[in-house]
Amino acid sequence: MNPWPYSRWVAHRGAGKLAPENTLAALRLGAHYGYRMFECDVKLSSDGVPFLLHDATLQRTTNGHGTAGDKDWSELSRLDAGSWHSRTFAGEPLPAFEQVARFCTGNGFLLNVEIKPTPGHEAETGSLVAQHAARLWHGQAVAPLLSSFRPESLQAAMAAEPQLPRALLLDTLWDGWFGVARALGCVGIVCNHALWSEETVATVKGAGMRCLSYTVNDEWAASRLIALGTDGIITDRVDLFSPA
Ligand code: G3P
Ligand code: MG
């Protein structure tokens, strides 16, 4: 098994629900709670700029409407991605992936980049996000961990930047997942935490891959995952779990 350079504890979307998800304010708050690794969701604007947003559409987490991937970055960068959460964060912008990269590399923080393509843009998103990640982390000791639920995105990331580590995200153990992860050269599997058992951990570890979980917000679940020997826990509860 290769050494694992990533943290056991990973702050989901920056700081879970304590700050507007996928913003720099969230990452800063997660860091304030002691987190040194973050998960974020990255997709493309219509003019090919990678930026952070979970949903395909804008209305839940910004003051915009419609499909985010249909807008160019100049429009997206002027949206308010903080007011929906609370007045404290009013005016917080959507961050470009590049800004998040600068924040992480400038502070020695690690990143799990979930490639979250707008439907229909799976390969293009995987390829471009990987190319930007390779450029932005050039010369850094630890590359970002690229993950996706979409094998097409990981395939394109592998074709573009094969040296960047990849992990397959699973919300179910669909037929063929293990072979797909192997074929994609994945270094890890990131599962819905309920899917980990002695059997699934042994299968994944037996292939030299690491076992990570999302989104773990209860102490009983975290204890179970640690006892199973899994390697990484993505949590919203940065206020409950201390990574130290
Ligand atoms: O990357 C782990 C987790 O973020 C996957 O689910 O929907 O929160 O992006 P989601
Ligand atoms: Mg995610």
Side-chain angles (χ1 to χ4, degrees), residues 13-15 23-32 38 52 100 103-104 111:
R13 308 183 193 174
T23 64
L24 277 168
L27 271 72
R28 289 195 179 101
L29 189 62
H32 172 78
F38 307 93
L52 272 60
V100 170
F103 175 74
C104 290
L111 195 63

Side-chain angles (χ1 to χ4, degrees), residues 6-90:
Y6 301 108
S7 310
R8 173 184 293 283
W9 292 99
V10 182
H12 187 224
R13 308 183 193 174
K17 299 180 193 311
L18 298 182
E21 63 188 55
N22 286 309
T23 64
L24 277 168
L27 271 72
R28 289 195 179 101
L29 189 62
H32 172 78
Y33 278 95
Y35 279 71
R36 294 294 174 265
M37 183 164 175
F38 307 93
E39 184 265 359
C40 66
D41 304 296
V42 178
K43 53 175 45 68
L44 299 178
S45 67
S46 64
D47 50 344
V49 177
F51 69 101
L52 272 60
L53 189 74
H54 180 275
D55 299 1
T57 53
L58 290 161
Q59 43 269 26
R60 183 176 64 86
T61 58
T62 78
N63 61 343
H65 295 276
T67 300
D70 289 347
K71 323 266 186 210
D72 64 19
W73 177 241
S74 108
E75 182 174 352
L76 293 168
S77 65
R78 292 195 299 272
L79 294 175
D80 178 344
S83 288
W84 70 274
H85 180 277
S86 55
R87 280 189 289 181
T88 304
F89 297 103

Side-chain angles (χ1 to χ4, degrees), residues 209-223:
M209 293 186 279
R210 300 287 180 150
C211 307
L212 293 85
S213 302
Y214 73 90
T215 304
V216 181
N217 294 331
D218 299 302
E219 285 176 293
W220 67 266
S223 300

Side-chain angles (χ1 to χ4, degrees), residues 10 18 25 33-35 48 68 70 85 87 110 122 127 151 160-162 166-167 173 192 201 214 224 244:
V10 182
L18 298 182
Y33 278 95
Y35 279 71
D70 289 347
H85 180 277
R87 280 189 289 181
L110 304 177
E122 286 78 11
S127 178
E161 302 289 349
R166 293 171 298 282
L173 297 177
N192 176 326
V201 169
Y214 73 90
R224 189 185 83 87

Side-chain angles (χ1 to χ4, degrees), residues 153-177:
S153 295
L154 292 175
Q155 180 76 48
M158 179 166 74
E161 302 289 349
Q163 77 285 6
L164 292 181
R166 293 171 298 282
L168 181 63
L169 269 160
L170 298 173
D171 56 358
T172 61
L173 297 177
W174 39 263
D175 278 352
W177 67 271

